[in-house]
Amino acid sequence: MDNLKDSSIFSAHLKRGQSFHVRCTAIQLLALFIKNESSERDLNTILSLIEFDQSPFIRSNAVQQLYKLPLFTKHQDCFLNNLHLVERLWRLLNEHQDFNLRCCLAQLYYTLYGRTTPTCVPSNNCAVVIDLKGQTSRTNVPGIPSSFRFSSKFDDDRKYSSDDSSSSRKKKKHRPIMS
């Protein structure tokens, strides 16, 4: 691979008209080239192939090669890890009708970013923390108080309970049925 610094030979073999096996081999070598050389142009070539190729097998194979040889890891700082890639993968994942391709794209997204928000996506700094035991929550969302107590189902039930202290078990009053 040291003597091959130009990936155009692989890109030439991706075109329709080549046999299926030649195209799959070209995809595999181009994915390896992207991994080793961090070529954004070649990554866009493969993503365009995934987007526009007519063969579902070629599209699925291209995605499989990308997640078998991940371009970067979750916490690795790589210039290929950018907002454009995140948005393009997310759009591909949501727009394609091919079930197999969508599963492969989901696997690729998970391989690259895991279950967390990608580090290249800007944070909107909105968060809500709910303490279920203390029945309180804290937020930093503008317009909502930073700390508030929420009412539970049990607080509502107490409103309808009987105030008869002589009985050991409190009876609930019947709630009107809404129609």
Side-chain angles (χ1 to χ4, degrees):
M1 191 74 124
D2 292 338
N3 57 359
L4 292 175
K5 294 294 181 192
D6 186 24
S7 63
S8 62
I9 190 168
F10 307 128
S11 299
H13 288 88
L14 289 177
K15 295 186 170 75
R16 286 184 52 96
Q18 301 289 337
S19 75
F20 174 76
H21 297 292
V22 169
R23 292 181 80 194
C24 288
T25 304
I27 291 169
Q28 183 179 10
L29 292 172
L30 195 59
L32 186 62
F33 193 84
I34 294 168
K35 170 91 171 137
N36 292 335
E37 301 294 325
S38 296
S39 171
E40 190 169 13
R41 180 183 63 130
D42 296 326
L43 177 60
N44 286 329
T45 301
I46 285 198
L47 290 175
S48 295
L49 182 78
I50 293 166
E51 234 172 325
F52 301 115
D53 198 82
Q54 294 178 354
S55 171
F57 300 111
I58 293 294
R59 290 193 310 252
S60 295
N61 187 306
V63 178
Q64 288 171 3
Q65 292 303 321
L66 287 178
Y67 75 71
K68 286 179 184 174
L69 297 168
L71 309 170
F72 50 85
T73 58
K74 296 176 212 172
H75 305 292
Q76 182 182 0
D77 189 27
C78 178
F79 78 94
L80 292 176
N81 182 8
N82 56 34
L83 188 58
H84 177 71
L85 177 64
V86 173
E87 289 175 347
R88 194 165 180 188
L89 285 175
W90 193 255
R91 186 177 47 79
L92 285 170
L93 182 62
N94 288 311
E95 287 180 356
H96 271 286
Q97 302 298 321
D98 183 10
F99 175 73
N100 187 33
L101 182 63
R102 290 178 73 170
C103 289
C104 291
L105 284 164
Q107 179 66 37
L108 173 62
Y109 193 89
Y110 181 78
T111 301
L112 296 178
Y113 302 113
R115 296 179 66 193
T116 60
T117 303
T119 55
C120 59
V121 174
S123 174
N124 58 5
N125 292 328
C126 292
V128 176
V129 178
I130 299 174
D131 179 14
L132 294 176
K133 288 184 180 180
Q135 295 183 349
T136 60
S137 65
R138 291 176 297 184
T139 181
N140 64 351
V141 178
I144 297 178
S146 63
S147 180
F148 59 93
R149 179 176 168 81
F150 58 92
S151 65
S152 68
K153 176 181 176 272
F154 302 112
D155 290 341
D156 293 339
D157 286 344
R158 287 187 206 130
K159 292 177 190 175
Y160 297 106
S161 64
S162 169
D163 290 328
D164 184 16
S165 59
S166 62
S167 66
S168 61
R169 293 177 64 183
K170 294 186 179 186
K171 297 179 182 178
K172 293 182 184 177
K173 289 185 181 179
H174 293 288
R175 295 183 188 174
I177 298 175
M178 301 296 241
S179 57

